[in-house]
Amino acid sequence: MGWVNHIRDLKYKYKIMVGCILCCLICIAVLWSYTVHETHSLLTQRSLLDMENQLQQSAAALDHQLQLCDNVLGSLSINNSVISAAEHEYTGYYEMYDIFSNQVTPLFSSVLTFNGDIAQLTLYSASNVERHTPWVLPTDELSETIRLQGENRWIYDTDQGVCKLQKLVSSCGENYLYIQLHDDVLERLFGSLSSQGYGVTLFDSCGNVAYDVPPNGLTSVFFTANSGKHTGQIWEQDGFFCSCRTVESSGWTIYLYQSKGYFWNRNWQMVPGLIGISVVCLMAAVLTSLLLSRLAVTRIENLAANIRQLREGQNEIWVQSKSKDEIGYLTDEFITMMQLIQHLIKDVYREQLIRKEYQIQMLRAQINPHFLYNTLSAIRWKTLMNGDEEASEIINQLSVFYRTALNKGREFSNVENEMKNIRAYITIQKELQSHLFQVSYHVDSSLYPCKIPVMILQPIVENAILHGLASSRKQDRSLGLSAFGKGRDMIFEIRDDGAGIEAEQLKQLLNSKTNGYGMKNVQERIHLLYGNEYGLEIHSIRGEGTIVRVLLPKEPLTDVEN
């Protein structure tokens, strides 16, 4: 079952390609089988019909040839000069010579001249004639075989060839006309059939084989004069298709046969064409399978890639489908489902943010700002009276920090107050870190009235100091904070030349959870307030430092929010 599992685990596009190619191969196999079978059947019927036509033409040609010679014999057998020469009682050789030379010889010579197929024409006379070769001979010299078989019918004699003996009309004695055809007459009539793949066997009316030539390169088929087959009937014998026809006027029988292998050879002539068609069909199947797999699988692969990116934390849905098929339906349902999930996630985040804001507000409410400010002010004046100006300044910055951080419980402040908060926090941290680093500020004062969430920059500055500068081994360390406008937005940039962040850690910084109110919380807070187009952008090189840019919309702080 390993191959079943292997096929099951194939990629979908390969399954489509293999399926299309297999279907094409099956269709080609069926096409081959059907075409070969039907073509063989049609060619066989056509060849058998051609054989019958060829047999009919050959029989007609033989009959025509013998009929011409019969007409000659018929004319001579009733000729008065021939009859008179055969029945005359000659008184002397001179008389006989005179009659033969003036009557028989000119007549027979003219017949031979105008009938090129006749090889010999002889008059056999029962009177007292002498041999007058080759035109007149005594009847006693007539072959007994010719007399018995060839009288009034065409026969084939192994010595004489095709011949016939015709008795003279109104002859009182045994007077005959003998006609013999040239040896090549039958070859001219049937010789071309061998080159066409036919074999020919010819029997005369007495059952003698007059002509027997097999197909080229093959042996003859054995036939008998009376094989029990009828004219026009086709049968199989010794691997041949056979047919016969009897010439009614002469009684001769023609057997025509052709090898069954000759039919198959004609079928094989179409194999190159079938191979070409098969190759074209196979190439078309491959191209079609590639096109189908690309049309179907590309959309599935895009859907899978989007799902994989969502699993890795990227919340963008970029896959689209305009089709109404199953894949289009699946894509539309996936988009709808992910949009619903994102809405649910935003609702959960919003609930969490509201809960955190509520918790912060509860903490703020629990702290009496006036009590805190008055206490810090009293401690500051005590330290001043004791001459400790440095401690007094730290207490003063701590008072500024808490006043701007608590912000009377409001969620938004302006950039000016946020900068006071950051300056106070950095001043306190410098004292705590024993003036470990230098600080520079570059803030566009035109941004001071703009709205900004409270405490949005402090976690970033805290990370820069505690995880960047404090972890660095450099002698001279610096922290830079700048703010500037860009179109409808404003950008805050916190730059340090501390230890930097590892590449793998940098990828997870905005996605991982921390114990405190860290970078991920800042990112989520900005996304919930302004959308995904705003947020943090972090660039860091290990050992060189880190740059964090905060992109916020440039909006004025309203009276209600202030």
Side-chain angles (χ1 to χ4, degrees), residues 448-465:
Y448 282 169
C450 295
K451 181 174 68 173
I452 187 172
V454 175
M455 294 287 289
I456 201 70
L457 300 178
Q458 186 273 334
I460 303 172
V461 174
E462 181 180 359
N463 281 337
I465 296 173

Side-chain angles (χ1 to χ4, degrees), residues 497-510:
D497 56 0
I501 307 172
E502 295 286 352
E504 292 298 325
Q505 184 181 0
L506 183 63
K507 294 179 181 179
Q508 302 297 326
L509 190 59
L510 298 178

Side-chain angles (χ1 to χ4, degrees), residues 304-316 318 334 338 507-512 520:
N306 202 171
I307 294 174
R308 186 165 52 250
Q309 291 179 357
L310 291 171
R311 184 184 61 192
E312 294 173 353
Q314 301 180 17
N315 295 327
E316 181 182 1
W318 50 265
F334 165 75
M338 291 309 304
K507 294 179 181 179
Q508 302 297 326
L509 190 59
L510 298 178
N511 298 321
S512 60
K520 180 175 183 294

Side-chain angles (χ1 to χ4, degrees), residues 327-379:
I327 299 176
Y329 174 77
L330 180 63
T331 304
D332 293 336
E333 290 298 314
F334 165 75
I335 294 173
T336 303
M337 179 186 68
M338 291 309 304
Q339 290 175 345
L340 178 60
I341 291 175
Q342 287 182 347
H343 285 307
L344 293 175
I345 292 174
K346 287 183 179 180
D347 292 341
V348 172
Y349 282 163
R350 189 174 290 105
E351 290 178 1
Q352 292 178 352
L353 183 61
I354 292 173
R355 189 179 295 111
K356 288 182 180 180
E357 293 293 336
Y358 178 75
Q359 291 174 354
I360 293 174
Q361 291 178 6
M362 290 295 293
L363 290 173
R364 289 172 178 172
Q366 292 174 5
I367 300 174
N368 190 331
H370 294 285
F371 173 76
L372 180 62
Y373 302 154
N374 292 337
T375 302
L376 291 175
S377 177
I379 296 173

Side-chain angles (χ1 to χ4, degrees), residues 37-50:
H37 178 270
E38 290 298 317
T39 304
H40 175 67
S41 177
L42 291 174
L43 289 178
T44 300
Q45 295 178 8
R46 178 64 181 273
S47 297
L48 294 178
L49 182 61
D50 291 342

Side-chain angles (χ1 to χ4, degrees), residues 23-37:
C23 290
C24 179
L25 291 176
I26 293 174
C27 292
I28 290 174
V30 173
L31 176 65
W32 268 69
S33 177
Y34 177 79
T35 302
V36 170
H37 178 270

Side-chain angles (χ1 to χ4, degrees), residues 509 512-521:
L509 190 59
S512 60
K513 294 183 179 180
T514 58
N515 294 328
Y517 191 70
M519 306 283 278
K520 180 175 183 294
N521 301 76

Side-chain angles (χ1 to χ4, degrees), residues 367-511:
I367 300 174
N368 190 331
H370 294 285
F371 173 76
L372 180 62
Y373 302 154
N374 292 337
T375 302
L376 291 175
S377 177
I379 296 173
R380 179 190 177 204
W381 284 109
K382 288 285 185 181
T383 55
L384 281 176
M385 291 174 64
N386 293 331
D388 192 350
E389 295 182 2
E390 187 174 340
S392 176
E393 180 62 23
I394 293 175
I395 293 172
N396 181 50
Q397 294 299 325
L398 182 61
S399 176
V400 172
F401 175 76
Y402 276 114
R403 185 174 65 253
T404 55
L406 295 174
N407 196 33
K408 300 180 180 181
R410 299 186 183 95
E411 183 179 2
F412 293 97
S413 181
N414 56 34
V415 174
E416 182 179 7
N417 286 335
E418 185 70 9
M419 288 298 104
K420 290 179 181 180
N421 178 273
I422 292 300
R423 288 176 185 270
Y425 178 78
I426 292 175
T427 301
I428 296 171
Q429 282 291 352
K430 284 185 67 177
E431 293 295 332
L432 295 176
Q433 300 293 335
S434 302
H435 296 275
L436 183 67
F437 55 91
Q438 299 296 322
V439 183
S440 62
Y441 299 95
H442 301 281
V443 180
D444 186 355
S445 59
S446 64
L447 300 179
Y448 282 169
C450 295
K451 181 174 68 173
I452 187 172
V454 175
M455 294 287 289
I456 201 70
L457 300 178
Q458 186 273 334
I460 303 172
V461 174
E462 181 180 359
N463 281 337
I465 296 173
L466 298 182
H467 300 292
L469 296 173
S471 301
S472 176
R473 297 182 180 182
K474 296 179 180 179
Q475 294 296 328
D476 298 326
R477 309 171 203 180
S478 62
L479 175 67
L481 191 148
S482 60
F484 54 91
K486 186 178 181 180
R488 297 182 178 180
D489 302 324
M490 54 183 179
I491 299 175
F492 297 87
E493 185 175 280
I494 297 91
R495 180 190 303 265
D496 71 82
D497 56 0
I501 307 172
E502 295 286 352
E504 292 298 325
Q505 184 181 0
L506 183 63
K507 294 179 181 179
Q508 302 297 326
L509 190 59
L510 298 178
N511 298 321

